[in-house]
Amino acid sequence: MKAISKDNSGQGAAEYILLFGGVIVIALAGLLIYRSYFSNNASGLNATQDISSIRNNVSMY
């Protein structure tokens, strides 16, 4: 029974799997939040148009 409780051989692999899973979840959450910048919908935000309008407004002043 003591040999089973002291066996930590799979602990490192499990920690890497949990870490990798957490990174994937954070990346997917970021993509869902900013998906309008990654899509080409006319109704959504468009990074190219946003940058152009900012440049036009800055050059006016």
Side-chain angles (χ1 to χ4, degrees), residues 12-40:
E15 290 173 353
Y16 281 120
I17 290 170
L18 289 172
L19 181 66
F20 187 65
V23 169
I24 289 175
V25 167
I26 292 171
L28 288 175
L31 285 174
L32 289 175
I33 291 170
Y34 294 107
R35 76 176 142 190
S36 59
Y37 278 104
F38 296 113
S39 66
N40 291 328

Side-chain angles (χ1 to χ4, degrees), residues 3-60:
I4 293 173
S5 65
K6 291 184 179 184
D7 185 22
N8 294 328
S9 62
Q11 181 178 356
E15 290 173 353
Y16 281 120
I17 290 170
L18 289 172
L19 181 66
F20 187 65
V23 169
I24 289 175
V25 167
I26 292 171
L28 288 175
L31 285 174
L32 289 175
I33 291 170
Y34 294 107
R35 76 176 142 190
S36 59
Y37 278 104
F38 296 113
S39 66
N40 291 328
N41 294 338
S43 63
L45 297 172
N46 190 347
T48 306
Q49 290 176 353
D50 291 345
I51 292 172
S52 296
S53 79
I54 290 171
R55 285 183 181 159
N56 289 336
N57 290 334
V58 169
S59 65
M60 296 174 83

